[in-house]
Amino acid sequence: MAGVTCQEGDENQNQKNATNPSECDDSNKEEKNNRKVNEPQSNGQVSETETVEDEQTHTDEKTKEKTPETTEEPKDKNVVFVQDVGFTIKIQPPGTDPFELQVSSMELVQELHQVLMDREDTCHRTCFSIQLDGTVLDKFCELKTIENLKEGSLVKVVEDPYTMREARHHLRHIRDLLKSVDPSDAYNGEEFFSLSFLNTVTAGDIMTDKKRGKPDSVDCTPPDYIMPDSKDRPLLPLHPGLKDQWGPKCIKVLTYSGWNPPPAHRKLKGDLMYLYVVTLEDKKYHITASPMGFFVNQSTEDEFNFKPASPKHLAHALVDLLCQISPAFKRNFASLLKKRTQKHPFERVATPYQVYSWIAPHLDHCVDYMRASDAFANRIGYEEQIPGQTRDWNEELQTTRELPRQTLPERLIRERAIFKSHSDFVSAAIKGAMAVIDGNVMPINPGEESKMQMFIWSNIFFSLGFDVKDHYKEFGGDAAAYTAPASDLLGVRAYANLDPEGLYTLGTVLVDYRGYRVTAQSIIPGILEREQEQSVVYGSVDFGKTIVTCQTYEDLLKKTAAQLKIKPHKVLNSEDEEITLLSSVDCKGIIGNDKRYYILDLLRTFPADINFLPGAANEIEFNPELKKLGFPLQHKHNLVCLRQELMEAFLEQKYIEFIQIAAYEFQQLRQKKQDKKDDKDKTDEDLKSIERISKIMNDDDSSSQLIEPHKIIQALDPDGQSEETTKDIISKAAKKVGSRSEAGFDVRFNPDVFQPIVRHANPEGDEVRRDKNLIKEASEFLVFQVIPNFISECLTHASSPIDGFTLVEAMHARGINLRYLGKIVDMLDKYPQLSYLQSISVAEMLCRSAKHLFQKHMHSVEPMSVSAAVSHFLNCFLSSFVNPHAQIVADEFQSKNAKRKSKKRSKEGFLGRNHDNEWVLETPKSLWKALQEDLKSHFDFTLECESVDSTVDLFHVQKISVLRSFCMKVGIQVLLRDYNMDNKLKQAFAEEDIVNMFPIVKHNHTKATDAYQFFTSGQTKIQQGNIREGYELINEALNLLNSVYGAMHPEIAACLRLLARLSYVFGDYAEALSLQQRAVLMSERVLGIDHPNTITEYAHLALYCFANNQISSSLRLLYRARYLALLCHGELHPEIALFDSNIGLILHAVGEYDLALKFLEKALSLNKEFYGVKTLKVAMAYHLMARVLSCQGDFRQALQHEKECFAIYKDQLGEDSERTKESSECLKHLTQQAVFLQKKMNEITKGEKNVYLPPLQIATPAMNTILDTLNMINGIELVHFVQLSPNAVAKLRNEILKNKTTQIKDTDQQMKQIDDIVTKEEIKGDGDVNKDDCSRMEVSPDKDGTLTTNSCTALPNGISHPLPINNTIELD
């Protein structure tokens, strides 16, 4: 039946995260880099393997418990210490020489299989076994369990007979090898491949040639389009080296023969299947697959002849047979394998989720019969699930969550299983949603209107984002129906992150595709067998009219309600019965046939945002200041809720208020009782009480919802002399902050207040009034504190969004809904230095409003006109051409009109229904008028501009940036070419420019809890100065992340970046380069080649390349980073100033003074604009300019710039600062040079004899000096390792104790003091670094706001962010 059969895939190549290829060469080191992690399916059986790099060694098999807080005493009781032993074995493949391989005792035999399938000389083999002394080794046993396997053992690879399944696997593997260097899958968004251009940018692998980048061989000429003040924004450089991306063609046709399946009598002879091959020499062959291997038979297109051809060719591997019959195949296949081997493993491993490119070149559609058979036939034999079955997604998702979680190994296995099942479910949901929109799935209610239809495909339920049967009529109609799934997903995330035992949520995925929103959900067992009204045992199915409850659900929801701060409240049903709810009234509880307790419809998990509910003004008095800002505003819909992040921040604020009230009241009590004591004693006692309370706040678990009263009482009154009075104080403080308990802090929200559909038991009572006031306070907190604090952070550059994605990420992380973006833009008018943020914000609002219009636009488009409709919309939106026309012919209009007259035929395909071609009538004027209306209704932003050109001029937005953002939001893939959107005589986009449309997916990201704890603990240690401990914790977090996620994930990229930074500050430049290279490759693959995080990773890698003397690569990387940044936001951004400073410094180092001056001048201009004319960054920019000018011999200008630098340093840091002194010395030197030069010029002017102008002695700056300056402008200072003897340690300790009240702000001064005590050994360069010798370092902020330790600093946004876990990716 249509829609119930999953596509089946190859177990080795098509399962994402199933195989992670490694380098296929003979290097033992690279062979060692292949590792695998076994993963259990829901039935507990190990079915797949996964390889990861050696540096990211898996820890699934590790049973030694660790905790981020302490590695000395494990929390878990069941701790087993297992020693991981490494040793070397010899492997003997058939027909080749044996090779040595370094293995670990914890590895599986299956990992050896994957090593062989990745090596260049054995990668074409799939059907073999591994034997030791004639005994076949079990694939899923650990090496340490194998007897007689020891150092130097010889393991043989023995060819096994084929079965039908193995033969199909083999053919699939060969086909994947033939296209292993083909980027078509990455551009088409298939097979979990994505793009990476790092090695193209650096002209090869930066780790394979350490000699590249010497100053005498540097090509430092930047492209014209990245030069300062260039207005050109070409798109072709976004995908460099396209011609070199494709590998050689090896064969013309490789497919199944038309003679399949073998006749019965041939099956009895062992024939498995027949293949048809056309070689590059245009020779045609029919090949038989048998248990012994492959041979050429005598069949033709017209005659079946099973006999072997003459001469006989028989080979166990198909590649060996093809090499025998086709010299061209042999030659080209060897070239292809060589090209494949040159790729980094991270360029070839599959990503956990599909990443799509918004721009792609024109791809030739080549003949591929295997692809055709995949598209239209069941892929039996290499399916993605158990043979003959469709995966029960709900059972998989829920079973994995029921796995044990007591010990660390159990949690790792459980989280790995959850992640694998969830990622597979997301992939299946995407396929199903696209099939639904494409009309390939039959609805389960075909007689209903198209918007009301529902679908089931592969055990997944699909529904559309329309208001079915006017369910959302009172809340905003289709606008509310479109928003409800997203709100529901936020609720699912909240409950899933709590991971409650006994309470289950549905697997939920939102897919926006071709203008339609599709919600995909796993199916509750039995839900389709009965009406929903009969299934719901908790909550309401009719918006509060009928409300039911269940004691079991109440018991389960008590825990989650406490954690989510949901207040138990009483409501009335239609029969005026009081029902106690611990969730919103919309939440439904259903007991499935599997006896599990499910909750769904969680769209109102968090309280309403009354700032966008005009009806709330009738129930509560609004703050006059809010009214001045225009609140409450009428939104498109009434499903407006506050974000969970805001609720957490608000409750933290209330908690601090609670502690302050309690401390103040206790202080007043103490003053009455201790009037005889002097003020100093009273003050000291009060401070001690506050410190004790603060310790409780820091030590208490953040998930605890009610602070235990005895802790606060003990902190306020440690002697127990006033226990009863202290309880009264706590009760009074709790009452003032609105706590529901008088015994402590327990503030919760009622999600059902301000909901007209809900009737409370006592709507006029004090309790409901307090609930409303609390939500009112939260809404005011958002407007008056959170938003101003966000703007303040941007003013101090603690946060600097690069594009709309990072802006949204930053707002959501602070709990700010996007509907406040219009108010933020209005507030930014007061801050000229934040003009870049205003431009990004306006562009983001434009793209989101255009997305709303695009969805309606696409609803009137039939399938044959999709590309024409999309190009027409882009022309109306972004082109300066005032009269774009839709590219459609009259005959098509007539055929459409004829089709539209038939009601019966209008129901045959989803995209072929109810099309009235309104999109053809769209004009730029009508579109921008609709944009103005949507901006006003959604963001309360008034756009005075009536065209794209006036908007660009007013807000300084870039058309190319808007195009990029819009395509990524709605899923448009445009042709890779340069678009002239400013041409007023010709429309910019043609129908052929729309290459593809891809889905936009939202889902709940699973998390690695232990890795998150290790990572955050490591960050804390680093910021406290314990660099060594922090490094170990971060490294352990990396191991745990690899165990859970495999080799590819954004969080792994974050770990690699931080480890690279720590290695760099330790002075281990080579290790930093290696780690950062992997971070860049991973960021490109899992986030995108032009993602803001990828830009930052490029900049970090450029610095490490320079430190490793790869100057040419460093410049290329910085040019790439600047180009990508220009596409994202243009030149008016603080990040461009940093890039230009780095580029200018490196160009200065190689003697390109004219080019360096151009970039440094731009950096100076941008620093003045965004940081102020009297800031330290501007001073540094002046100093860099002076250095370059002095090298050019322009001492007058150099002197002028250095004077500006000196004035700023003197004003900001004082005359005694080292920087001020250095600037003063530089001034003296420049003055002497200028005076000497002027004196000579005067003598020459007077005509004196024997006077000549001496040649300028310009010394090229030392690389160490340039590197130190690069570190300074990037906010980095290297760790200085100090070898301390016991006497020196004691002497240093005494010295520190004497001066512990004195804070040494300047790093150089402190290091000088240490020099006076002990002998210092500074380790730099590529030497070995002993991280254990690093002493404790303390953190303090510089005057310019940079976080600095005494010996180690990262970029201002380099190490301060936590690991991006779960909902959003929080990287630099």
Side-chain angles (χ1 to χ4, degrees):
M1 185 176 65
V4 298
T5 303
C6 265
Q7 291 294 322
E8 302 162 356
D10 182 84
E11 290 184 353
N12 291 321
Q13 297 296 328
N14 294 332
Q15 285 264 15
K16 60 184 182 304
N17 290 332
T19 58
N20 297 337
S22 223
E23 293 291 350
C24 295
D25 60 18
D26 296 331
S27 170
N28 290 334
K29 180 179 179 181
E30 293 185 1
E31 293 295 347
K32 180 185 174 182
N33 284 344
N34 294 285
R35 294 294 180 263
K36 308 176 188 69
V37 180
N38 67 306
E39 60 182 19
Q41 295 259 357
S42 58
N43 58 9
Q45 296 179 353
V46 179
S47 63
E48 296 179 357
T49 61
E50 182 163 299
T51 64
V52 297
E53 296 246 314
D54 181 63
E55 294 85 347
Q56 305 171 3
T57 309
H58 68 82
T59 55
D60 277 23
E61 309 305 328
K62 290 185 179 180
T63 53
K64 180 178 178 180
E65 284 294 325
K66 293 185 180 180
T67 63
E69 291 80 10
T70 173
T71 57
E72 298 172 0
E73 296 183 2
K75 287 184 178 179
D76 297 326
K77 296 181 180 180
N78 300 325
V79 181
V80 180
F81 295 92
V82 178
Q83 185 176 6
D84 187 0
V85 180
F87 57 96
T88 302
I89 62 174
K90 289 184 178 180
I91 298 182
Q92 173 69 66
T96 60
D97 296 331
F99 64 91
E100 293 185 348
L101 179 67
Q102 181 76 21
V103 296
S104 167
S105 61
M106 307 291 290
E107 294 176 6
L108 302 177
V109 175
Q110 175 67 25
E111 301 182 50
L112 303 183
H113 280 257
Q114 193 59 48
V115 168
L116 292 168
M117 291 178 64
D118 288 335
R119 282 179 58 89
E120 181 177 355
D121 53 351
T122 58
C123 63
H124 60 285
R125 301 184 183 276
T126 61
C127 187
F128 57 85
S129 60
I130 297 179
Q131 299 183 6
L132 177 65
D133 298 333
T135 303
V136 178
L137 303 182
D138 183 4
K139 289 184 178 181
F140 303 114
C141 70
E142 295 180 347
L143 298 184
K144 60 183 172 58
T145 64
I146 301 175
E147 296 182 2
N148 301 326
L149 184 64
K150 55 187 178 180
E151 180 76 24
S153 295
L154 179 64
V155 175
K156 293 185 178 181
V157 179
V158 179
E159 297 172 343
D160 286 346
Y162 285 99
T163 63
M164 172 65 78
R165 176 183 172 83
E166 291 293 342
R168 286 181 174 269
H169 281 168
H170 185 78
L171 183 60
R172 169 65 50 181
H173 181 68
I174 299 305
R175 185 254 189 179
D176 290 339
L177 279 179
L178 294 176
K179 57 179 294 188
S180 58
V181 296
D182 188 345
S184 298
D185 285 343
Y187 282 116
N188 293 329
E190 299 173 349
E191 304 294 345
F192 305 97
F193 287 103
S194 53
L195 300 171
S196 176
F197 292 104
L198 173 61
N199 289 335
T200 304
V201 172
T202 57
D205 191 340
I206 57 177
M207 297 304 299
T208 59
D209 187 1
K210 297 296 181 65
K211 296 182 180 180
R212 287 189 298 119
K214 291 186 177 181
D216 58 352
S217 62
V218 173
D219 179 16
C220 53
T221 306
D224 292 338
Y225 53 83
I226 68 116
M227 290 296 294
D229 299 321
S230 173
K231 302 300 182 182
D232 191 17
R233 299 287 184 268
L235 287 175
L236 290 176
L238 185 59
H239 293 188
L242 285 179
K243 295 181 180 179
D244 299 329
Q245 295 291 323
W246 276 262
K249 187 175 182 180
C250 298
I251 200 167
K252 287 187 176 182
V253 175
L254 173 61
T255 185
Y256 298 107
S257 171
W259 296 113
N260 281 307
H265 70 282
R266 290 309 304 170
K267 286 184 180 180
L268 299 178
K269 295 289 187 179
D271 289 3
L272 301 175
M273 62 180 180
Y274 305 118
L275 306 178
Y276 175 66
V277 169
V278 179
T279 66
L280 295 179
E281 294 88 354
D282 284 331
K283 294 183 178 180
K284 301 176 182 179
Y285 297 94
H286 288 261
I287 297 175
T288 299
S290 69
M292 298 302 297
F294 298 85
F295 63 89
V296 179
N297 60 46
Q298 298 182 22
S299 297
T300 65
E301 288 85 348
D302 303 321
E303 180 183 357
F304 176 71
N305 188 341
F306 58 84
K307 296 180 181 180
S310 180
K312 295 182 179 180
H313 295 289
L314 174 65
H316 187 268
L318 179 60
V319 167
D320 293 337
L321 176 63
L322 294 176
C323 289
Q324 295 177 29
I325 62 178
S326 173
F329 177 89
K330 182 177 181 180
R331 179 177 61 255
N332 290 358
F333 187 73
S335 176
L336 182 142
L337 288 184
K338 184 177 180 181
K339 188 177 181 68
R340 174 178 178 267
T341 305
Q342 292 172 352
K343 283 182 172 289
H344 192 278
F346 281 5
E347 293 182 89
R348 296 188 283 118
V349 64
T351 58
Y353 303 108
Q354 185 64 59
V355 178
Y356 301 94
S357 174
W358 67 275
I359 193 167
H362 175 74
L363 301 176
D364 294 332
H365 193 59
C366 301
V367 174
D368 188 341
Y369 294 97
M370 297 287 290
R371 181 188 63 224
S373 64
D374 290 347
F376 297 106
N378 292 332
R379 294 154 66 178
I380 300 173
Y382 40 87
E383 59 277 358
E384 297 174 0
Q385 63 276 336
I386 301 173
Q389 297 182 11
T390 301
R391 294 173 74 169
D392 187 340
W393 293 110
N394 187 75
E395 182 65 22
E396 279 195 37
L397 295 173
Q398 311 309 339
T399 301
T400 53
R401 290 194 173 273
E402 293 172 345
L403 293 174
R405 58 175 106 175
Q406 299 302 317
T407 64
L408 177 60
E410 287 178 348
R411 289 194 296 273
L412 291 177
I413 293 174
R414 176 178 180 268
E415 290 172 355
R416 174 60 184 163
I418 290 174
F419 174 73
K420 184 64 173 65
S421 295
H422 178 75
S423 58
D424 286 351
F425 172 71
V426 171
S427 302
I430 294 172
K431 293 179 181 178
M434 296 174 66
V436 165
I437 299 303
D438 290 339
N440 295 333
V441 180
M442 178 68 69
I444 60 177
N445 54 341
E448 300 283 352
E449 185 184 352
S450 60
K451 292 183 177 181
M452 300 173 61
Q453 290 179 348
M454 295 168 286
F455 308 82
I456 293 179
W457 183 86
S458 186
N459 276 340
I460 303 175
F461 176 80
F462 297 92
S463 58
L464 303 172
F466 297 107
D467 185 13
V468 179
K469 297 182 180 179
D470 292 334
H471 282 178
Y472 295 97
K473 183 178 181 180
E474 301 296 329
F475 303 98
D478 282 344
Y482 180 84
T483 303
S487 300
D488 179 56
L489 180 59
L490 292 177
V492 171
R493 285 177 176 174
Y495 279 92
N497 290 342
L498 297 179
D499 207 3
E501 293 189 24
L503 196 62
Y504 300 88
T505 57
L506 300 181
T508 305
V509 180
L510 298 187
V511 181
D512 291 329
Y513 180 60
R514 294 195 181 184
Y516 294 90
R517 168 157 289 184
V518 183
T519 303
Q521 294 176 305
S522 60
I523 302 174
I524 300 177
I527 189 66
L528 300 178
E529 301 172 6
R530 56 185 185 268
E531 294 293 333
Q532 190 178 40
E533 291 79 3
Q534 301 172 355
S535 303
V536 174
V537 297
Y538 173 87
S540 174
V541 296
D542 52 8
F543 298 99
K545 296 178 182 179
T546 303
I547 306 175
V548 293
T549 187
C550 172
Q551 185 60 45
T552 306
Y553 268 99
E554 289 187 11
D555 295 339
L556 290 171
L557 290 173
K558 281 180 181 178
K559 300 177 182 178
T560 58
Q563 293 174 299
L564 294 175
K565 300 297 186 181
I566 297 176
K567 181 180 179 180
H569 53 284
K570 294 182 179 180
V571 297
L572 300 177
N573 61 14
S574 57
E575 298 178 359
D576 292 335
E577 297 174 341
E578 287 190 5
I579 305 293
T580 300
L581 295 178
L582 294 102
S583 64
S584 66
V585 71
D586 305 295
C587 175
K588 300 173 182 59
I590 299 178
I591 303 176
N593 287 353
D594 54 0
K595 305 304 179 184
R596 293 189 178 104
Y597 291 82
Y598 296 90
I599 53 170
L600 57 155
D601 290 349
L602 305 172
L603 62 159
R604 292 187 187 272
T605 300
F606 304 107
D609 184 359
I610 63 172
N611 291 335
F612 287 85
L613 288 178
N618 301 326
E619 303 181 41
I620 197 169
E621 181 65 26
F622 260 73
N623 189 316
E625 296 298 324
L626 277 176
K627 291 183 178 180
K628 290 181 181 179
L629 294 174
F631 295 110
L633 294 166
Q634 179 64 57
H635 199 57
K636 286 182 174 181
H637 56 80
N638 294 331
L639 298 181
V640 285
C641 297
L642 299 173
R643 292 187 64 85
Q644 184 178 11
E645 298 89 345
L646 177 77
M647 310 315 300
E648 293 172 353
F650 176 71
L651 289 174
E652 183 180 349
Q653 180 75 13
K654 297 291 287 185
Y655 183 51
I656 295 174
E657 182 183 340
F658 166 73
I659 295 298
Q660 290 174 341
I661 293 173
Y664 175 78
E665 292 293 339
F666 188 76
Q667 178 185 2
Q668 297 299 316
L669 176 65
R670 187 177 296 277
Q671 285 179 351
K672 294 178 181 178
K673 292 185 177 182
Q674 301 178 356
D675 289 336
K676 295 181 180 181
K677 284 191 174 184
D678 58 22
D679 293 340
K680 184 177 184 304
D681 292 340
K682 289 188 289 185
T683 302
D684 291 344
E685 188 63 31
D686 295 337
L687 289 175
K688 291 179 181 178
S689 298
I690 295 175
E691 288 177 359
R692 288 192 291 268
I693 296 173
S694 299
K695 190 175 186 302
I696 293 176
M697 296 171 62
N698 294 330
D699 294 344
D700 186 67
D701 186 2
S702 60
S703 64
S704 178
Q705 306 305 312
L706 177 60
I707 306 303
E708 297 181 13
H710 72 272
K711 290 185 178 181
I712 302 177
I713 293 173
Q714 186 178 0
L716 292 174
D717 187 24
D719 299 331
Q721 299 177 358
S722 309
E723 182 175 350
E724 293 299 326
T725 308
T726 306
K727 288 182 179 180
D728 294 338
I729 290 174
I730 293 175
S731 177
K732 186 176 180 180
K735 186 176 181 180
K736 285 188 176 180
V737 298
S739 174
R740 62 187 295 265
S741 171
E742 295 184 357
F745 181 81
D746 187 20
V747 176
R748 301 195 193 181
F749 298 91
N750 183 347
D752 286 331
V753 294
F754 299 110
Q755 303 297 343
I757 63 173
V758 179
R759 295 193 303 152
H760 289 84
N762 187 8
E764 304 299 330
D766 291 339
E767 187 173 359
V768 175
R769 179 178 54 81
R770 286 194 297 267
D771 292 342
K772 292 181 179 179
N773 282 330
L774 189 63
I775 294 178
K776 172 190 172 185
E777 291 180 31
S779 298
E780 292 174 353
F781 174 74
L782 171 58
V783 175
F784 295 134
Q785 293 193 44
V786 177
I787 292 178
N789 288 344
F790 170 62
I791 295 177
S792 297
E793 290 178 14
C794 294
L795 283 170
T796 59
H797 299 280
S799 176
S800 297
I802 293 179
D803 64 353
F805 177 85
T806 48
L807 172 65
V808 172
E809 189 178 60
M811 290 176 61
H812 284 173
R814 292 159 178 80
I816 306 174
N817 302 89
L818 285 181
R819 55 181 170 269
Y820 287 92
L821 197 52
K823 293 298 181 184
I824 292 177
V825 170
D826 293 339
M827 295 178 185
L828 292 176
D829 283 333
K830 305 175 184 177
Y831 308 103
Q833 62 269 44
L834 293 181
S835 58
Y836 77 93
L837 183 59
Q838 188 180 49
S839 298
I840 293 174
S841 301
V842 171
E844 181 66 15
M845 288 192 297
L846 279 176
C847 290
R848 289 186 174 270
S849 289
K851 181 182 73 171
H852 302 155
L853 301 179
F854 179 78
Q855 290 162 351
K856 298 177 182 178
H857 178 85
M858 294 302 294
H859 292 171
S860 63
V861 179
E862 63 179 25
M864 68 175 63
S865 303
V866 171
S867 58
V870 173
S871 63
H872 183 62
F873 186 91
L874 290 176
N875 283 320
C876 294
F877 180 37
L878 293 173
S879 177
S880 297
F881 185 58
V882 295
N883 190 27
H885 57 277
Q887 300 174 346
I888 193 165
V889 296
D891 291 341
E892 291 178 326
F893 269 119
Q894 294 174 4
S895 63
K896 293 172 188 175
N897 292 332
K899 290 180 181 179
R900 204 162 50 239
K901 292 179 181 179
S902 173
K903 294 182 180 180
K904 181 177 179 180
R905 294 187 64 186
S906 67
K907 295 182 179 180
E908 292 179 355
F910 185 74
L911 284 183
R913 307 171 189 172
N914 302 327
H915 301 298
D916 50 14
N917 295 298
E918 290 181 359
W919 65 272
V920 179
L921 307 177
E922 193 74 78
T923 65
K925 185 177 181 179
S926 63
L927 177 63
W928 276 86
K929 183 179 179 180
L931 271 176
Q932 291 175 320
E933 295 173 355
D934 191 89
L935 287 168
K936 184 64 178 177
S937 63
H938 196 89
F939 300 103
D940 190 44
F941 178 71
T942 302
L943 181 66
E944 303 294 342
C945 309
E946 297 182 353
S947 67
V948 62
D949 292 329
S950 56
T951 305
V952 167
D953 295 337
L954 180 60
F955 295 103
H956 305 289
V957 298
Q958 287 190 142
K959 289 185 179 181
I960 195 67
S961 301
V962 176
L963 174 65
R964 168 185 173 271
S965 179
F966 179 73
C967 289
M968 295 172 70
K969 281 180 173 55
V970 300
I972 298 174
Q973 188 179 67
V974 297
L975 183 66
L976 178 63
R977 71 174 182 88
D978 295 329
Y979 294 93
N980 184 4
M981 289 175 278
D982 295 326
N983 191 336
K984 297 184 178 181
L985 303 177
K986 183 181 179 181
Q987 57 189 22
F989 300 93
E991 182 178 357
E992 294 75 17
D993 293 326
I994 309 304
V995 177
N996 195 6
M997 295 197 73
F998 55 86
I1000 306 298
V1001 185
K1002 298 178 182 178
H1003 59 92
N1004 177 34
H1005 295 266
T1006 59
K1007 62 181 180 180
T1009 52
D1010 291 286
Y1012 174 77
Q1013 293 174 4
F1014 272 92
F1015 191 92
T1016 52
S1017 298
Q1019 286 186 313
T1020 302
K1021 293 292 185 182
I1022 292 169
Q1023 296 187 9
Q1024 291 174 349
N1026 297 323
I1027 307 297
R1028 181 184 60 81
E1029 295 180 27
Y1031 184 93
E1032 292 176 353
L1033 288 170
I1034 298 297
N1035 196 50
E1036 186 63 27
L1038 178 63
N1039 292 333
L1040 298 181
L1041 288 172
N1042 277 302
S1043 297
V1044 175
Y1045 297 134
M1048 278 279 171
H1049 199 274
E1051 292 164 15
I1052 298 177
C1055 263
L1056 289 171
R1057 171 178 45 79
L1058 185 49
L1059 288 173
R1061 175 52 50 94
L1062 293 175
S1063 298
Y1064 183 78
V1065 299
F1066 281 136
D1068 192 350
Y1069 299 152
E1071 179 67 11
L1073 184 65
S1074 175
L1075 290 168
Q1076 187 61 28
Q1077 181 200 33
R1078 289 152 55 191
V1080 175
L1081 287 169
M1082 193 173 298
S1083 183
E1084 283 189 313
R1085 293 291 316 283
V1086 300
L1087 297 177
I1089 60 172
D1090 55 350
H1091 191 277
N1093 292 343
T1094 304
I1095 299 174
T1096 304
E1097 305 290 13
Y1098 265 107
H1100 289 190
L1101 184 61
L1103 176 62
Y1104 306 155
C1105 279
F1106 185 87
N1108 283 275
N1109 203 33
Q1110 297 192 29
I1111 302 176
S1112 183
S1113 295
S1114 178
L1115 282 172
R1116 291 192 188 101
L1117 292 166
L1118 283 172
Y1119 294 158
R1120 176 71 172 179
R1122 193 181 200 276
Y1123 167 70
L1124 296 176
L1126 289 176
L1127 289 184
C1128 287
H1129 50 63
E1131 273 195 331
L1132 297 179
H1133 196 280
E1135 287 295 316
I1136 294 294
L1138 181 61
F1139 293 155
D1140 287 354
S1141 297
N1142 281 272
I1143 294 173
L1145 258 177
I1146 297 177
L1147 289 173
H1148 178 208
V1150 297
E1152 293 289 342
Y1153 303 127
D1154 292 336
L1155 285 174
L1157 206 56
K1158 292 180 180 179
F1159 285 98
L1160 292 176
E1161 285 175 347
K1162 189 63 180 180
L1164 175 61
S1165 172
L1166 293 174
N1167 282 325
K1168 285 182 178 180
E1169 181 174 355
F1170 296 121
Y1171 294 94
V1173 295
K1174 296 296 183 181
T1175 57
L1176 297 180
K1177 288 186 178 292
V1178 173
M1180 175 58 71
Y1182 274 123
H1183 177 67
L1184 298 179
M1185 288 279 293
R1187 290 172 61 176
V1188 176
L1189 288 168
S1190 65
C1191 289
Q1192 286 185 316
D1194 191 350
F1195 296 108
R1196 185 183 299 274
Q1197 286 294 325
L1199 185 61
Q1200 185 62 35
H1201 283 77
E1202 194 61 42
K1203 283 181 179 178
E1204 296 285 352
C1205 173
F1206 175 77
I1208 296 174
Y1209 280 151
K1210 182 179 179 181
D1211 180 61
Q1212 297 289 329
L1213 304 177
E1215 294 183 354
D1216 296 332
S1217 170
E1218 288 296 323
R1219 291 190 182 184
T1220 308
K1221 293 178 181 179
E1222 290 176 3
S1223 182
S1224 177
E1225 291 297 324
C1226 187
L1227 271 177
K1228 292 179 182 179
H1229 174 72
L1230 290 175
T1231 302
Q1232 293 173 359
Q1233 293 291 329
V1235 170
F1236 175 77
L1237 184 61
Q1238 187 62 44
K1239 182 178 178 181
K1240 292 295 183 181
M1241 292 292 293
N1242 292 339
E1243 291 176 354
I1244 293 175
T1245 304
K1246 292 179 181 179
E1248 296 184 10
K1249 297 181 179 180
N1250 298 326
V1251 177
Y1252 60 92
L1253 187 65
L1256 294 177
Q1257 300 295 329
I1258 300 177
T1260 303
M1263 289 299 169
N1264 288 340
T1265 304
I1266 294 294
L1267 183 59
D1268 291 341
T1269 309
L1270 281 171
N1271 293 334
M1272 185 181 299
I1273 64 174
N1274 288 288
I1276 304 173
E1277 294 183 19
L1278 300 185
V1279 171
H1280 299 269
F1281 295 91
V1282 184
Q1283 308 292 340
L1284 300 179
S1285 65
N1287 292 335
V1289 171
K1291 187 176 181 181
L1292 179 59
R1293 184 183 295 109
N1294 294 333
E1295 188 70 19
I1296 292 175
L1297 290 175
K1298 291 179 183 178
N1299 302 296
K1300 68 177 182 178
T1301 58
T1302 304
Q1303 182 180 12
I1304 302 174
K1305 295 185 178 180
D1306 191 87
T1307 303
D1308 295 331
Q1309 292 178 0
Q1310 185 175 13
M1311 296 310 299
K1312 186 177 180 181
Q1313 289 187 2
I1314 296 177
D1315 273 343
D1316 296 336
I1317 301 172
V1318 295
T1319 302
K1320 179 180 67 176
E1321 179 183 358
E1322 181 176 344
I1323 302 179
K1324 292 185 178 180
D1326 294 338
D1328 294 334
V1329 179
N1330 183 3
K1331 299 178 177 62
D1332 294 335
D1333 294 332
C1334 180
S1335 58
R1336 180 184 176 89
M1337 290 168 283
E1338 298 178 358
V1339 180
S1340 61
D1342 285 348
K1343 279 197 173 185
D1344 59 357
T1346 304
L1347 184 65
T1348 309
T1349 66
N1350 292 342
S1351 304
C1352 166
T1353 312
L1355 285 168
N1357 58 349
I1359 62 173
S1360 59
H1361 299 302
L1363 182 68
I1365 293 291
N1366 199 31
N1367 292 336
T1368 54
I1369 301 173
E1370 305 264 345
L1371 301 176
D1372 287 352

